Amino acid sequence: MNCLRSSEQILMDEMVPSPESLATKDHTSSVRSSRAGEAGQKPDTGNIEEAESSLRESGCLNYEEARALLGRYEYQKGNIEASLHVFEGIDIASVTPKLKLALAERVQTQKRRSRSFSTPPLSINAASLLLEAVFLKAKSLQALQRYKEAAQSCTVLLDILESSLPAGLPETFATDCKLQDTLNKAVELLPELCKLADAPQEAIMAYRRALLHQWNLDIQTTAKIQKEFAIFLLYSGGESCPPNLQSQMDGSFVPRNNIEEAILLLMILLRKISLQRIEWDPSILDHLSYALSISGGLKTLARKVEELLPRTIDRQEMSLILALCYYGGGDDFTALNLLRKLLSSTEDHTCVPSLLLASKVCAESPDCASEGIIYAHKAIERLQERCSHLLGVANCVLGLSLTAHSRTVLTDSERVKIHSDALKSFESAGKLTKMSDTNVIYHLCLENAEQRKLDVAVHYANWFLKLEGGSTLKGSMLLARVLSAQKRFLDAETVINVALEQSGKWDHGELLRTKAKLQIAQGQVKNAIETYTQILAILQVQRKSFRLGEDLKEFGDHCRTLELETWLDLASIYIKLSQWRDAEKCLSKTEAISSYSACRLYTAGLLNQSKGLYKAALGDYSNALAVNPSHVPSLVSSAVVLRKIGKQSPAIIRSLLTEALRLDRMNASAWYNLGLLYKEGGLGSAAEAADCFEAAIILEETEPVEPFR
């Protein structure tokens, strides 16, 4: 370019070294080694127009501006190293004051809506050109994998703009120059460079800076940054300090951790979708589903899904998501009603995920188990000669529904048949999943244990632990229970001790409770009391360490339940030792936790029964059954007390025991007391009494220290 069109000829050679001489001076070899394909690339035609504009405004093209133009030219040709050498020749520190002054002066001029009589040191086009050079330098460094230096260059650019324009870039700048476009790209680039430089904390700060400062970004760019930031917070694996939002109004929500901050960002994006400011992006709902599911906010997710506009997502998909949310949030009734409505429609009656979920929900309620069996059979029929693993899952939920249904049947023969069918379903599920699905293996172990096939159950429990890498508490506790049913108490305690070593302190409560029961079974009552004391100490520390808000409600309920059970176990120990005062103290501790718990009322009945206060004990058992009519220990103990009092007819006592056995066929105490009733009351033959005693002996010999489920 020898001259620029203007009112007078200005020779470029007199003003600035030619681009060719600059490139040769800095990096001759890189320029000459450009490929033939690169030579065919044409530079942006806006270069010359911008140069003309800059010259007309300032009357000359200085050394830095010339380098900025040449650097951009080389960058667009693909000569990355050459462009970087040119950009490195710009002394950005020396021109920074001029850039800040030029930008600030332009803003003030626009505010006064008149031209200032003072001439700025740089025109706005020149300032834009130099700032773009800083950005392209960062891009060149990124291409050369010098990410840390690239991030520093990008930070310099944003620092200049932030200090010069604290209120943000005026909208009129976009019509005058490319500054807004450069700013948008720089704001997006900085977090990515920090991630590439393995600086997660700096990346988080860059994201927050991009979103909290007034950059006047367009809504699409802002939404893109919000989504990328949320994804980084969820999956980066680190934990950042909470944001310092001093500019927020008092009472505003301030996230306390990565998950809460990600949830906030994703909810903002969903709100923008509802207001039709941005297009629907299904991945936003996927990430929000994950974030809320791991933080116990599934009901919140359900509300957000319900707020979506019609036809945003498919009706079938929405119903299934809502059902999953309500089921995960503990509202099985609402979940099942949604699934029934979905499956009753003509076009959705064969939806396999809905059928599987409906069967699983039904399996958790014996009254709905027969309905769950129907759903599972439909899913199996639909999945024939398709995905074998999913077919295995369908057989597993069929087994769950059959097991639940067995608790409602009346005849022993029918119950045995249903248990046999359930076990066959679990075995089929194991084969179809190639014994690799931990959920199937767990239920195989559980079903064999309940049918007292203990050697097989031990095999599956060990296989489950192997698949889980030996790190699951559920598997360790199940194995310990099965071993205790085999009266291998030392082996069971060893399993619990290993699990205690491999787990965190907050997970020790359930393990220690199982250990205490194993110690009681071995006659180590003093050791058991010390173990229960450890549980109470852990729970006390947890109460002080956690602020149980809405998101930790489930964890808080678990802690209160464990504390209640611990005090009741201690009370039961003292009752057996006839230390009634200590037992009363333990019971008084439980009153503040749950005064109307069926387990608490039952333990109070045991205390009165041990004192010989049978009427008071019977009242406690009756109150426990009023709270929970299916509380089997209260049914059995009520029958025992009534038999001792001798004022009730044997038929009433038998009805209590048969109801207990209907609910729990493996209750040895119920069988034993029913045998005594048949022997003494004349309601049954001697053979029936003998059968009851035989069942009680067999079950007592294989009874675990706590229920398998």
Side-chain angles (χ1 to χ4, degrees):
M1 183 169 60
N2 295 322
C3 64
L4 296 172
R5 295 188 302 273
S6 60
S7 57
E8 57 181 339
Q9 292 281 345
I10 302 176
L11 293 177
M12 289 296 297
D13 294 336
E14 297 176 1
M15 290 165 36
V16 60
S18 69
E20 183 180 354
S21 63
L22 283 172
T24 305
K25 176 182 178 182
D26 285 332
H27 198 65
T28 305
S29 60
S30 293
V31 175
R32 289 179 178 175
S33 64
S34 61
R35 297 186 300 271
E38 294 172 346
Q41 296 179 358
K42 294 184 178 180
D44 188 356
T45 56
N47 291 356
I48 299 176
E49 295 177 1
E50 193 166 345
E52 288 187 46
S53 178
S54 180
L55 280 172
R56 285 184 180 134
E57 290 184 11
S58 61
C60 65
L61 188 68
N62 62 31
Y63 189 74
E64 283 76 15
E65 294 169 34
R67 278 187 169 272
L69 276 174
L70 177 60
R72 182 168 68 179
Y73 179 81
E74 295 293 343
Y75 181 83
Q76 290 173 343
K77 285 175 58 181
N79 298 331
I80 302 301
E81 293 186 10
S83 65
L84 180 59
H85 277 274
V86 176
F87 288 137
E88 285 178 340
I90 301 175
D91 187 1
I92 195 65
S94 64
V95 299
T96 295
K98 298 178 182 180
L99 287 169
K100 291 181 178 180
L101 187 60
L103 293 171
E105 180 66 25
R106 180 57 177 267
V107 172
Q108 293 300 323
T109 301
Q110 291 183 342
K111 284 183 178 181
R112 291 193 296 266
R113 297 186 180 180
S114 63
R115 290 192 173 274
S116 174
F117 291 103
S118 60
T119 304
L122 288 174
S123 68
I124 191 61
N125 284 295
S128 175
L129 183 64
L130 290 170
L131 291 172
E132 185 190 22
V134 178
F135 171 74
L136 292 178
K137 178 183 177 182
K139 291 290 291 182
S140 301
L141 290 166
Q142 179 190 14
L144 297 173
Q145 299 184 3
R146 293 161 61 178
Y147 303 122
K148 188 174 181 180
E149 296 173 65
Q152 291 171 350
S153 180
C154 206
T155 302
V156 168
L157 169 59
L158 295 180
D159 286 343
I160 293 172
L161 289 170
E162 188 173 12
S163 59
S164 306
L165 308 167
L169 198 65
E171 295 181 1
T172 54
F173 269 51
T175 60
D176 296 339
C177 61
K178 297 172 62 177
L179 188 55
Q180 183 67 61
D181 182 55
T182 302
L183 174 59
N184 289 356
K185 293 177 181 178
V187 168
E188 286 188 64
L189 179 63
L190 181 56
E192 297 300 322
L193 292 174
C194 293
K195 288 190 287 186
L196 291 170
D198 195 20
Q201 294 300 322
E202 286 77 5
I204 290 173
M205 291 173 62
Y207 275 123
R208 288 174 179 164
R209 181 181 189 180
L211 296 174
L212 295 176
H213 189 72
Q214 298 181 20
W215 301 112
N216 290 336
L217 305 177
D218 62 87
I219 193 167
Q220 298 298 331
T221 302
T222 304
K224 182 181 178 183
I225 295 173
Q226 288 171 332
K227 178 185 171 182
E228 291 175 351
F229 187 23
I231 292 172
F232 184 73
L233 289 169
L234 284 176
Y235 310 114
S236 63
E239 189 63 44
S240 64
C241 297
N244 182 16
L245 303 180
Q246 296 179 351
S247 60
Q248 299 294 309
M249 296 174 60
D250 293 338
S252 296
F253 173 75
V254 177
R256 294 170 295 177
N257 51 50
N258 282 17
I259 302 297
E260 288 188 358
E261 193 169 1
I263 290 171
L264 179 61
L265 290 165
L266 293 168
M267 283 185 173
I268 291 172
L269 289 170
L270 270 189
R271 182 64 176 166
K272 290 179 179 179
I273 291 171
S274 298
L275 296 174
Q276 296 183 324
R277 294 179 180 174
I278 59 175
E279 294 182 358
W280 165 244
D281 182 354
S283 66
I284 293 174
L285 186 59
D286 293 339
H287 296 305
L288 183 60
S289 300
Y290 168 74
L292 287 172
S293 64
I294 63 175
S295 59
L298 288 173
K299 288 189 176 180
T300 302
L301 176 61
R303 289 196 297 270
K304 292 300 173 184
V305 172
E306 289 168 347
E307 290 173 2
L308 292 174
L309 293 174
R311 294 185 296 277
T312 301
I313 59 176
D314 181 68
R315 185 184 63 84
Q316 177 180 314
E317 183 182 359
M318 176 179 282
S319 297
L320 182 57
I321 291 172
L322 290 174
L324 284 166
C325 290
Y326 284 114
Y327 173 68
D331 191 351
D332 294 359
F333 180 76
T334 303
L336 187 55
N337 281 340
L338 280 167
L339 291 168
R340 284 169 175 163
K341 184 177 179 181
L342 174 63
L343 294 170
S344 64
S345 60
T346 55
E347 69 272 17
D348 296 331
H349 68 283
T350 57
C351 176
V352 172
S354 301
L355 289 169
L356 293 176
L357 180 59
S359 179
K360 190 174 189 302
V361 175
C362 290
E364 298 185 6
S365 174
D367 295 334
C368 301
S370 58
E371 185 182 358
I373 294 171
I374 296 172
Y375 290 138
H377 278 302
K378 287 183 178 179
I380 291 172
E381 182 182 353
R382 181 68 175 171
L383 287 167
Q384 290 299 329
E385 298 182 359
R386 290 179 59 187
C387 175
S388 60
H389 187 90
L390 203 55
L391 184 59
V393 173
N395 276 276
C396 181
V397 295
L398 174 60
L400 293 174
S401 296
L402 287 168
T403 302
H405 182 56
S406 68
R407 303 187 191 114
T408 62
V409 299
L410 298 177
T411 62
D412 288 340
S413 59
E414 189 177 0
R415 186 178 296 107
V416 170
K417 181 181 182 305
I418 292 175
H419 274 298
S420 176
D421 291 342
L423 189 56
K424 288 179 182 177
S425 296
F426 287 127
E427 289 173 349
S428 297
K431 292 176 182 177
L432 288 165
T433 57
K434 299 180 180 179
M435 302 299 288
S436 61
D437 190 312
T438 55
N439 187 52
V440 173
I441 302 301
Y442 179 81
H443 287 291
L444 260 172
C445 174
L446 204 56
E447 189 64 29
N448 279 284
E450 289 198 329
Q451 295 187 28
R452 296 305 191 263
K453 299 177 180 179
L454 299 179
D455 290 336
V456 180
V458 168
H459 167 72
Y460 284 124
N462 284 316
W463 184 250
F464 176 82
L465 284 173
K466 183 179 180 180
L467 291 176
E468 291 283 351
S471 60
T472 172
L473 301 183
K474 183 171 71 171
S476 298
M477 292 177 67
L478 180 57
L479 177 58
R481 290 167 184 168
V482 176
L483 291 172
S484 73
Q486 293 181 319
K487 308 308 175 187
R488 296 165 58 184
F489 299 121
L490 284 175
D491 292 339
E493 192 171 352
T494 300
V495 170
I496 295 297
N497 288 332
V498 171
L500 286 168
E501 293 175 0
Q502 294 178 346
S503 60
K505 194 72 173 178
W506 293 159
D507 297 324
H508 284 184
E510 293 286 352
L511 292 168
L512 288 172
R513 185 167 181 245
T514 303
K515 181 178 180 178
K517 291 185 176 183
L518 289 168
Q519 290 169 334
I520 293 171
Q522 298 173 78
Q524 303 170 5
V525 178
K526 186 177 179 180
N527 291 341
I529 293 173
E530 292 177 356
T531 303
Y532 280 121
T533 305
Q534 292 180 40
I535 299 173
L536 295 172
I538 291 172
L539 292 171
Q540 186 176 6
V541 174
Q542 284 179 336
R543 278 198 302 272
K544 293 179 179 179
S545 301
F546 290 100
R547 181 177 64 185
L548 297 178
E550 186 67 26
D551 55 335
L552 294 174
K553 184 178 183 300
E554 184 179 349
F555 177 77
D557 292 342
H558 172 75
C559 289
R560 284 189 289 272
T561 301
L562 180 58
E563 184 178 6
L564 175 68
E565 292 170 344
T566 302
W567 284 116
L568 293 178
D569 288 348
L570 281 170
S572 299
I573 291 174
Y574 290 128
I575 289 170
K576 291 178 181 177
L577 296 174
S578 298
Q579 298 180 15
W580 297 330
R581 184 171 296 179
D582 291 332
E584 288 171 353
K585 288 180 181 179
C586 292
L587 280 172
S588 66
K589 295 286 187 181
T590 64
E591 189 170 0
I593 303 171
S594 179
S595 57
Y596 295 104
S597 165
C599 294
R600 180 187 178 279
L601 294 167
Y602 166 72
T603 307
L606 289 179
L607 178 60
N608 285 319
Q609 184 178 341
S610 66
K611 291 179 179 180
L613 304 174
Y614 295 122
K615 288 186 178 180
L618 188 59
D620 289 327
Y621 297 143
S622 298
N623 290 334
L625 290 171
V627 174
N628 181 8
S630 301
H631 193 250
V632 173
S634 294
L635 287 168
V636 176
S637 295
S638 296
V640 171
V641 171
L642 287 173
R643 191 173 61 82
K644 287 186 177 181
I645 293 175
K647 293 183 179 180
Q648 293 291 339
S649 67
I652 294 177
I653 300 173
R654 184 178 63 178
S655 67
L656 290 170
L657 292 171
T658 53
E659 176 64 13
L661 289 172
R662 186 186 70 81
L663 295 167
D664 182 10
R665 297 294 295 178
M666 301 298 180
N667 192 293
S669 179
W671 282 111
Y672 174 74
N673 283 283
L674 185 60
L676 289 177
L677 184 65
Y678 284 158
K679 179 183 177 183
E680 300 170 359
L683 292 177
S685 64
E688 288 178 318
D691 289 340
C692 290
F693 288 137
E694 184 181 3
I697 291 171
I698 294 173
L699 290 173
E700 190 174 13
E701 288 177 350
T702 58
E703 187 176 15
V705 293
E706 54 187 2
F708 294 116
R709 292 189 185 273

